[in-house]
Amino acid sequence: MIRIESLTATFGADIPNRVTALHDITLDISEREFVVVIGSNGSGKSTLLNVLAGTVQPERGRVLIGNTDATRLRAHDRAHLVGRVFQNPFSGTAPTMTVAENLRLAELRGVPKGLRRRLDARRIDGYRGHVAELGMGLEDRMGTPIGLLSGGQRQALTLLMATLRRPEILLLDEHTAALDPESAEQVLLLTDRLIERHRLTAVMVTHDMNEAARFGNRLLMMNAGRIVLDAAGAEKQALTPGGLLARFAELRAAAAHGH
Amino acid sequence: MELLLGALILGLAYAPLGLGVFITMRVFNFPDITADGSLTFGAAITAALLVAGVNPWLAIAASVAGGFAAGSLTGVIHTRLRVNGLLSGILVMTALYSINLRTMGRSNVPLLTTTTALTQLERPLGALGMSMPDSTLPPLLLFGTIALLLVWGLAWFFRTDFGLTMRATGDNETMITAQGVNTNAMKIIGIGLSNALIALSGSLVAQYQGYADIGMGVGIVVFGLASVIIGDTLAGVFGSGFNVWTRLVCVIAGTILFRVIVAAALSVGLAPADLKIVTACFVLVAILLPRTRSILRTRGT
């Protein structure tokens, strides 16, 4: 379970034109919720994800992940709780290291790495099973440096790495935005499947209204650092890409008239 | 032959330097100029302790520890105090100049009459009936053994979970942070390890040459880099750029080959004074070469 309590995050606190990225947000995410977050640029959706990941420190408020108060935990100190997939397919993997070596490091997410050689044939065989399930034919390339693989393949592996050790929460930061349509679709379906299989709690930020309507069981729309729509259950299922776009148009019109 | 043997011994003495520069330059992609100071630091510690009559093996251990301290200080300045990497190295290198002078007490300490690890080896080897002219056997055996042990040890290390973590830190910080690794700590340890090796080279070279000199580290990081580049080229020839074992062996081969080239160049009349400019140009060309090749390729299409 994730709980965010009256969270405020500000950028450039020490300069005149400071930007409040998150404005007193309170949010509860239950176990097994797959939350899709949408919003225009500067709405605060990425900041929300970064606060959960620990790469942005909130100015006020609390962040609880599972039973842990993670508010002051730096990104590497809360890695045992959090699985992350990034927008840039190059961010999630170590390019000169092999598929197996990357998976070994992912298996050790958040636990101490000792002076032992543990990456043996038996373990690699275990990884091979997981990699085969990605359906990308990578099971024969366990010894290949990941940098030689395509963006879609790397993103699928990052996804596998983020879930290899079950996280309390899986954070997906526009993780298909940099892929070609075919790879994006493949990675999205894989995401859905892994979340279902491991019964994960997940937060996915996206720009794509089709994705937002199709995936997840809860949707948050953000605007100017606030949550302006929170739809779950049947309400979420009823949302359409067109409907979401109309909501955005309303927000823009309100902003133009108001203030 | 005599020339080749001398180059081989010196190459093996500088093998730890090559491996140290490999760690910072190739694993971390961090240009660490601390090397210039820490090589001399290793030599200075060894010289001071040997003159004081300390056991040579203890003196070598102290040099290694000193190098680690110097390197991790650069790491701390760079990561914790957020100073530019190059500047962190320059600061520590400059500070080490004073420390080295203080350690040695003067700018040059001769070790010709003191007991060194090499003179200690001479007697047992002689008792076994093993000897070579000009007492070249002890350094050849000692430096060769150390180089082999280091390659074996580092190849093992870089395949442990901790070693994988260190490689990933140099490869992709975002990725390894997401796996729960404090990249600052990894860099401090890595730069420390690199300089421990470099100081070991300083200690070995001082004992082999029979003196420690305040200027012996000047430009040494470029010498180390030249060796690594030659090693990379050899690794490329064998076509296994990612295999840790091959790469480390090629670094050692690179340091030896570099010394052979230097010895050959000096013997055909290169003035020793010009050695550093020639080496610097060599490194520059070696760095530019792949780039010009790709420029030519894009222009061709």
Side-chain angles (χ1 to χ4, degrees):
Chain A
M1 194 208 69
I2 314 301
R3 160 165 282 177
I4 292 172
E5 284 176 11
S6 28
L7 193 86
T8 298
T10 311
F11 289 122
D14 43 0
I15 55 171
N17 53 343
R18 50 189 266 162
V19 179
T20 304
L22 292 177
H23 222 103
D24 196 27
I25 297 229
T26 296
L27 176 69
D28 273 308
I29 299 172
S30 328
E31 197 109 340
R32 295 206 58 190
E33 268 191 323
F34 178 2
V35 183
V36 179
V37 185
I38 55 173
S40 49
N41 290 329
S43 61
K45 58 187 192 310
S46 290
T47 308
L48 181 68
L49 209 70
N50 290 337
V51 165
L52 285 169
T55 53
V56 166
Q57 289 290 313
E59 191 176 288
R60 274 196 306 280
R62 289 213 307 164
V63 178
L64 281 88
I65 303 175
N67 297 317
T68 312
D69 183 347
T71 316
R72 295 289 156 215
L73 290 182
R74 291 166 298 175
H76 62 261
D77 288 326
R78 68 172 76 173
H80 61 292
L81 304 168
V82 181
R84 289 163 70 191
V85 185
F86 309 87
Q87 179 173 4
N88 185 341
F90 298 154
S91 295
T93 49
T96 72
M97 300 174 71
T98 65
V99 172
E101 287 170 337
N102 273 275
L103 287 167
R104 175 63 186 153
L105 290 170
E107 190 180 28
L108 294 171
R109 176 165 51 76
V111 299
K113 287 99 177 139
L115 273 176
R116 292 263 181 91
R117 285 183 61 173
R118 284 287 163 79
L119 190 59
D120 52 19
R122 190 183 54 80
R123 207 174 286 274
I124 293 175
D125 270 338
Y127 297 154
R128 192 173 281 124
H130 291 290
V131 171
E133 287 175 30
L134 300 178
M136 289 184 154
L138 291 174
E139 55 274 18
D140 305 324
R141 305 185 68 182
M142 300 302 287
T144 304
I146 278 199
L148 299 180
L149 305 181
S150 74
Q153 291 171 326
R154 288 175 74 165
Q155 209 63 327
L157 283 168
T158 308
L159 202 51
L160 175 61
M161 285 166 62
T163 55
L164 198 58
R165 172 182 282 262
R166 191 179 187 283
E168 282 289 328
I169 186 162
L170 175 65
L171 302 177
L172 309 161
D173 186 6
E174 299 186 47
H175 68 306
T176 58
L179 303 179
D180 64 79
E182 202 179 320
S183 306
E185 181 66 15
Q186 208 174 0
V187 169
L188 274 170
L189 292 175
L190 181 67
T191 306
D192 211 36
R193 210 166 71 216
L194 284 173
I195 289 174
E196 190 62 32
R197 160 105 48 87
H198 301 295
R199 303 166 169 275
L200 298 175
T201 310
V203 176
M204 175 170 90
V205 166
T206 179
H207 260 122
D208 187 315
M209 293 308 127
N210 276 309
E211 277 180 25
R214 272 172 68 203
F215 294 95
N217 47 31
R218 183 174 174 188
L219 179 136
L220 300 178
M221 183 185 282
M222 295 192 65
N223 188 49
R226 290 187 170 84
I227 296 170
V228 292
L229 172 68
D230 184 349
E235 191 190 353
K236 159 70 178 82
Q237 302 312 320
L239 291 171
T240 60
L244 290 171
L245 282 171
R247 290 269 196 159
F248 271 117
E250 280 172 37
L251 285 172
R252 215 167 295 133
H257 288 295
H259 300 300
Chain B
M1 187 60 214
E2 200 175 303
L3 186 98
L4 213 61
L5 195 61
L8 174 65
I9 292 172
L10 210 51
L12 287 169
Y14 279 118
L17 165 76
L19 294 169
V21 172
F22 175 82
I23 291 174
T24 44
M25 281 287 186
R26 288 292 181 260
V27 177
F28 285 99
N29 198 16
F30 178 83
D32 178 33
I33 203 140
T34 317
D36 280 28
S38 58
L39 184 109
T40 316
F41 194 34
I45 292 172
T46 293
L49 292 179
L50 289 184
V51 168
V54 174
N55 180 303
W57 307 100
L58 268 179
I60 292 175
S63 292
V64 170
F68 185 87
S72 42
L73 181 62
T74 299
V76 167
I77 293 174
H78 173 49
T79 59
R80 303 269 188 241
L81 308 181
R82 295 184 197 173
V83 172
N84 168 291
L86 209 48
L87 183 58
S88 311
I90 291 171
L91 290 175
V92 174
M93 175 193 77
T94 306
L96 278 175
Y97 189 89
S98 298
I99 292 173
N100 290 335
L101 273 178
R102 288 283 181 190
T103 308
M104 293 196 290
R106 51 197 155 134
S107 59
N108 187 299
V109 178
L111 298 171
L112 291 170
T113 54
T114 32
T115 305
T116 68
L118 298 173
T119 59
Q120 280 204 339
L121 278 178
E122 199 122 20
R123 200 177 305 156
L125 285 174
L128 290 170
M130 297 165 73
S131 74
M132 278 165 75
D134 303 328
S135 34
T136 44
L137 192 59
L140 197 60
L141 278 182
L142 178 64
F143 301 167
T145 309
I146 289 177
L148 280 179
L149 282 177
L150 286 178
V151 166
W152 179 82
L154 285 175
W156 171 82
F157 172 76
F158 280 123
R159 283 155 183 250
T160 63
D161 290 337
F162 190 81
L164 290 178
T165 306
M166 190 170 277
R167 284 163 61 199
T169 303
D171 220 11
N172 183 347
E173 282 193 45
T174 311
M175 173 269 184
I176 201 66
T177 303
Q179 315 310 328
V181 173
N182 182 342
T183 53
N184 285 351
M186 292 309 295
K187 284 184 201 166
I188 292 168
I189 295 169
I191 300 169
L193 179 64
S194 160
N195 281 284
L197 294 171
I198 293 166
L200 172 60
S201 262
S203 170
L204 299 183
V205 170
Q207 296 186 60
Y208 175 61
Q209 292 184 332
Y211 64 86
D213 187 271
I214 191 67
M216 65 191 287
V218 175
I220 210 71
V221 71
V222 178
F223 284 24
L225 190 53
S227 309
V228 169
I229 288 172
I230 296 173
D232 283 348
T233 313
L234 292 173
V237 170
F238 295 126
S240 49
F242 291 101
N243 181 312
V244 176
W245 252 107
T246 325
R247 289 197 73 172
L248 293 171
V249 169
C250 284
V251 169
I252 304 273
T255 54
I256 295 169
L257 202 55
F258 175 69
R259 283 295 150 186
V260 170
I261 295 169
V262 168
L266 292 174
S267 74
V268 298
L270 177 76
D274 296 334
L275 185 58
K276 285 189 166 68
I277 191 173
V278 171
T279 309
C281 290
F282 165 77
V283 168
L284 183 65
V285 169
I287 290 168
L288 291 181
L289 213 55
R291 213 185 294 166
T292 47
R293 211 179 294 155
S294 67
I295 289 170
L296 289 176
R297 203 177 300 139
T298 43
R299 281 194 188 150
T301 51

